[in-house]
Protein backbone atom coordinates (compact mmCIF):
# COMPACT_ATOMS: atom_id res chain seq x y z
CA UNK A 1 0.00 0.00 0.00
CA UNK A 2 2.91 2.34 0.78
CA UNK A 3 4.14 2.00 -2.82
CA UNK A 4 0.70 2.84 -4.24
CA UNK A 5 0.62 5.99 -2.08
CA UNK A 6 4.11 6.99 -3.27
CA UNK A 7 2.93 6.40 -6.86
CA UNK A 8 -0.26 8.49 -6.55
CA UNK A 9 1.45 11.24 -4.53
CA UNK A 10 4.37 11.63 -6.98
CA UNK A 11 2.12 11.84 -10.04
CA UNK A 12 -0.75 14.02 -8.82
CA UNK A 13 -0.25 15.54 -5.36
CA UNK A 14 3.45 16.51 -5.44
CA UNK A 15 3.90 16.76 -9.20
CA UNK A 16 7.56 17.59 -9.82
CA UNK A 17 6.76 20.40 -12.28
CA UNK A 18 3.45 21.83 -11.09
CA UNK A 19 3.88 21.54 -7.31
CA UNK A 20 7.67 21.49 -6.74
CA UNK A 21 8.63 23.65 -9.76
CA UNK A 22 11.54 21.48 -10.89
CA UNK A 23 12.14 20.81 -14.59
CA UNK A 24 10.49 24.06 -15.70
CA UNK A 25 12.95 24.59 -18.61
CA UNK A 26 11.92 21.50 -20.63
CA UNK A 27 8.31 21.98 -19.46
CA UNK A 28 8.15 25.39 -21.14
CA UNK A 29 10.66 24.73 -23.93
CA UNK A 30 9.78 21.29 -25.29
CA UNK A 31 6.00 21.37 -24.81
CA UNK A 32 4.96 22.98 -28.10
CA UNK A 33 3.87 19.67 -29.69
CA UNK A 34 2.45 16.52 -28.09
CA UNK A 35 4.83 14.14 -29.94
CA UNK A 36 7.97 16.02 -28.78
CA UNK A 37 6.68 16.18 -25.22
CA UNK A 38 6.02 12.42 -25.28
CA UNK A 39 9.58 11.81 -26.56
CA UNK A 40 11.05 14.01 -23.84
CA UNK A 41 8.87 12.30 -21.20
CA UNK A 42 10.07 8.83 -22.27
CA UNK A 43 13.72 9.93 -22.17
CA UNK A 44 13.25 11.55 -18.74
CA UNK A 45 11.51 8.44 -17.35
CA UNK A 46 14.37 6.22 -18.49
CA UNK A 47 17.19 8.49 -17.26
CA UNK A 48 15.46 9.53 -14.02
CA UNK A 49 14.86 5.93 -12.92
CA UNK A 50 18.38 4.83 -13.86
CA UNK A 51 20.00 7.92 -12.29
CA UNK A 52 18.07 7.45 -9.04
CA UNK A 53 19.29 3.85 -8.70
CA UNK A 54 22.93 4.80 -9.37
CA UNK A 55 22.93 7.93 -7.16
CA UNK A 56 21.20 6.01 -4.33
CA UNK A 57 23.95 3.36 -4.45
CA UNK A 58 26.67 6.05 -4.60
CA UNK A 59 25.15 7.77 -1.54
CA UNK A 60 24.74 4.60 0.53
CA UNK A 61 27.97 2.79 -0.40
CA UNK A 62 30.45 5.58 -1.21
CA UNK A 63 29.48 8.93 0.32
CA UNK A 64 27.87 7.88 3.64
CA UNK A 65 30.46 5.26 4.74
CA UNK A 66 33.35 7.64 4.01
CA UNK A 67 31.72 10.70 5.61
CA UNK A 68 31.52 12.52 2.28
CA UNK A 69 27.86 13.53 2.46
CA UNK A 70 28.77 17.18 1.80
CA UNK A 71 29.86 16.16 -1.74
CA UNK A 72 26.36 14.86 -2.56
CA UNK A 73 25.32 17.56 -5.05
CA UNK A 74 28.62 17.56 -6.98
CA UNK A 75 28.78 13.75 -7.02
CA UNK A 76 25.17 13.44 -8.21
CA UNK A 77 25.66 16.01 -11.00
CA UNK A 78 28.75 14.14 -12.23
CA UNK A 79 26.97 10.78 -12.03
CA UNK A 80 23.89 12.05 -13.92
CA UNK A 81 25.97 13.79 -16.63
CA UNK A 82 28.18 10.73 -17.20
CA UNK A 83 25.14 8.43 -17.09
CA UNK A 84 23.38 10.44 -19.82
CA UNK A 85 26.53 10.32 -21.97
CA UNK A 86 26.88 6.56 -21.41
CA UNK A 87 23.20 5.95 -22.26
CA UNK A 88 23.64 8.03 -25.42
CA UNK A 89 26.68 5.99 -26.55
CA UNK A 90 25.03 2.64 -25.76
CA UNK A 91 21.77 3.59 -27.53
CA UNK A 92 23.72 4.74 -30.60
CA UNK A 93 25.36 1.30 -30.88
CA UNK A 94 22.56 -1.01 -29.69
CA UNK A 95 19.38 0.67 -30.93
CA UNK A 96 19.91 3.41 -33.56
CA UNK A 97 16.13 3.78 -34.03
CA UNK A 98 15.57 4.51 -30.32
CA UNK A 99 18.61 6.80 -30.37
CA UNK A 100 17.05 8.71 -33.28
CA UNK A 101 13.76 8.96 -31.36
CA UNK A 102 15.39 10.19 -28.13
CA UNK A 103 18.58 11.66 -29.61
CA UNK A 104 17.65 15.34 -29.40
CA UNK A 105 16.18 14.98 -25.90
CA UNK A 106 19.03 13.07 -24.23
CA UNK A 107 21.49 16.02 -24.02
CA UNK A 108 18.68 18.20 -22.60
CA UNK A 109 18.23 15.78 -19.69
CA UNK A 110 21.74 16.55 -18.40
CA UNK A 111 20.54 20.05 -17.53
CA UNK A 112 17.09 18.98 -16.28
CA UNK A 113 17.07 19.83 -12.57
CA UNK A 114 14.13 17.43 -12.00
CA UNK A 115 16.51 14.45 -12.37
CA UNK A 116 18.92 15.86 -9.77
CA UNK A 117 15.99 16.93 -7.59
CA UNK A 118 14.53 13.42 -7.46
CA UNK A 119 17.95 11.88 -6.73
CA UNK A 120 18.34 14.23 -3.73
CA UNK A 121 14.70 13.91 -2.58
CA UNK A 122 14.85 10.11 -2.23
CA UNK A 123 17.83 10.51 0.12
CA UNK A 124 16.09 13.26 2.11
CA UNK A 125 12.90 11.20 2.40
CA UNK A 126 15.01 8.23 3.62
CA UNK A 127 13.49 5.81 1.10
CA UNK A 128 14.89 2.33 0.56
CA UNK A 129 16.02 1.33 -2.96
CA UNK A 130 12.64 -0.06 -4.10
CA UNK A 131 10.76 2.97 -2.76
CA UNK A 132 13.31 5.20 -4.53
CA UNK A 133 12.75 3.43 -7.86
CA UNK A 134 8.94 3.64 -7.49
CA UNK A 135 9.19 7.33 -6.56
CA UNK A 136 11.53 8.13 -9.47
CA UNK A 137 9.39 6.31 -12.03
CA UNK A 138 6.17 7.83 -10.65
CA UNK A 139 7.72 11.30 -10.71
CA UNK A 140 8.75 10.75 -14.33
CA UNK A 141 5.16 9.74 -15.18
CA UNK A 142 3.93 12.89 -13.41
CA UNK A 143 6.44 14.95 -15.39
CA UNK A 144 5.25 13.32 -18.62
CA UNK A 145 1.59 13.83 -17.74
CA UNK A 146 2.10 17.52 -16.99
CA UNK A 147 4.13 18.04 -20.18
CA UNK A 148 1.67 16.19 -22.42
CA UNK A 149 -1.40 17.97 -21.01
CA UNK A 150 0.42 21.31 -21.33
CA UNK A 151 1.46 20.49 -24.91
CA UNK A 152 -2.21 19.78 -25.71
CA UNK A 153 -3.17 23.14 -24.20
CA UNK A 154 -0.50 24.92 -26.26
CA UNK A 155 -1.61 23.20 -29.47
CA UNK A 156 -5.16 24.36 -28.72
CA UNK A 157 -3.89 27.90 -28.07
CA UNK A 158 -2.37 27.94 -31.58
CA UNK A 159 -5.90 27.57 -32.95
CA UNK A 160 -7.40 30.18 -30.61
CA UNK A 161 -7.55 33.92 -31.07
CA UNK A 162 -5.32 35.25 -28.30
CA UNK A 163 -5.36 39.04 -27.55
CA UNK A 164 -2.24 40.78 -28.87
CA UNK A 165 -0.95 41.72 -25.41
CA UNK A 166 -1.16 38.10 -24.25
CA UNK A 167 0.49 36.42 -27.25
CA UNK A 168 3.74 34.48 -26.93
CA UNK A 169 5.20 33.60 -23.53
CA UNK A 170 2.54 35.57 -21.59
CA UNK A 171 -0.32 33.20 -22.47
CA UNK A 172 2.02 30.20 -22.02
CA UNK A 173 2.79 31.24 -18.43
CA UNK A 174 -0.88 31.95 -17.67
CA UNK A 175 -1.78 28.49 -19.04
CA UNK A 176 0.96 26.88 -16.92
CA UNK A 177 -0.43 28.66 -13.85
CA UNK A 178 -3.96 27.41 -14.59
CA UNK A 179 -2.68 23.85 -15.04
CA UNK A 180 -0.82 24.13 -11.72
CA UNK A 181 -4.04 25.32 -10.04
CA UNK A 182 -5.92 22.37 -11.54
CA UNK A 183 -3.36 19.94 -10.05
CA UNK A 184 -3.74 21.66 -6.64
CA UNK A 185 -7.15 20.00 -6.54
CA UNK A 186 -5.34 16.74 -5.77
CA UNK A 187 -3.72 18.12 -2.59
CA UNK A 188 -4.83 16.13 0.42
CA UNK A 189 -5.54 12.96 -1.57
CA UNK A 190 -2.48 11.15 -0.19
CA UNK A 191 -3.39 12.18 3.40
CA UNK A 192 -6.95 10.94 2.86
CA UNK A 193 -5.70 7.60 1.49
CA UNK A 194 -3.29 7.21 4.42
CA UNK A 195 -6.13 7.74 6.89
CA UNK A 196 -8.43 5.42 4.93
CA UNK A 197 -5.92 2.58 4.98
CA UNK A 198 -4.71 3.30 8.53
CA UNK A 199 -1.12 4.11 7.58
CA UNK A 200 -0.85 7.25 9.74
Amino acid sequence: MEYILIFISAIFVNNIVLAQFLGICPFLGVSKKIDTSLGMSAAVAFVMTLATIVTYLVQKFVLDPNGLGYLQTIAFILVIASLVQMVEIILKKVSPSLYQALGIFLPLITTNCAVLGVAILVIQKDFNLLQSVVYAFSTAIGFGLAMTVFAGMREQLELSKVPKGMQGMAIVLVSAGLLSLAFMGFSGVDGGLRTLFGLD
Side-chain angles (χ1 to χ4, degrees):
M1 200 65 227
E2 187 68 38
Y3 296 104
I4 294 168
L5 286 172
I6 290 170
F7 187 78
I8 292 168
S9 177
I11 295 174
F12 299 109
V13 183
N14 297 313
N15 188 283
I16 196 83
V17 181
L18 302 172
Q20 300 183 57
F21 309 111
L22 292 171
I24 296 288
C25 296
F27 178 69
L28 294 174
V30 194
S31 61
K32 288 179 182 168
K33 299 277 177 216
I34 290 177
D35 55 346
T36 55
S37 64
L38 285 171
M40 183 65 173
S41 302
V44 166
F46 180 66
V47 171
M48 193 179 278
T49 309
L50 199 61
T52 302
I53 294 167
V54 175
T55 52
Y56 180 89
L57 295 173
V58 166
Q59 180 75 36
K60 295 297 177 189
F61 297 106
V62 178
L63 299 179
D64 286 350
N66 296 308
L68 300 171
Y70 59 90
L71 292 174
Q72 184 191 62
T73 307
I74 296 167
F76 283 14
I77 289 170
L78 290 171
V79 166
I80 291 164
S82 55
L83 197 63
V84 170
Q85 291 301 313
M86 201 168 67
V87 166
E88 206 171 342
I89 292 164
I90 291 167
L91 279 181
K92 206 171 188 178
K93 294 227 185 265
V94 176
S95 177
S97 58
L98 186 61
Y99 175 75
Q100 288 298 322
L102 301 178
I104 57 167
F105 303 117
L106 279 171
L108 289 173
I109 296 168
T110 312
T111 57
N112 188 347
C113 59
V115 179
L116 176 64
V118 168
I120 292 172
L121 280 169
V122 296
I123 304 299
Q124 287 178 349
K125 290 174 185 278
D126 204 28
F127 284 159
N128 61 36
L129 184 57
L130 187 56
Q131 286 173 326
S132 300
V133 171
V134 170
Y135 181 75
F137 186 69
S138 307
T139 302
I141 291 172
F143 177 84
L145 176 69
M147 270 196 66
T148 309
V149 170
F150 192 53
M153 287 172 72
R154 286 182 77 172
E155 282 188 2
Q156 194 63 41
L157 281 170
E158 294 290 320
L159 306 172
S160 304
K161 199 172 180 184
V162 179
K164 196 171 183 184
M166 289 295 288
Q167 286 174 2
M169 193 49 75
I171 193 68
V172 169
L173 292 172
V174 169
S175 303
L178 290 171
L179 185 60
S180 185
L181 280 172
F183 268 72
M184 279 182 72
F186 293 110
S187 61
V189 169
D190 58 338
L193 287 171
R194 284 182 178 278
T195 306
L196 182 67
F197 294 105
L199 292 170
D200 276 341

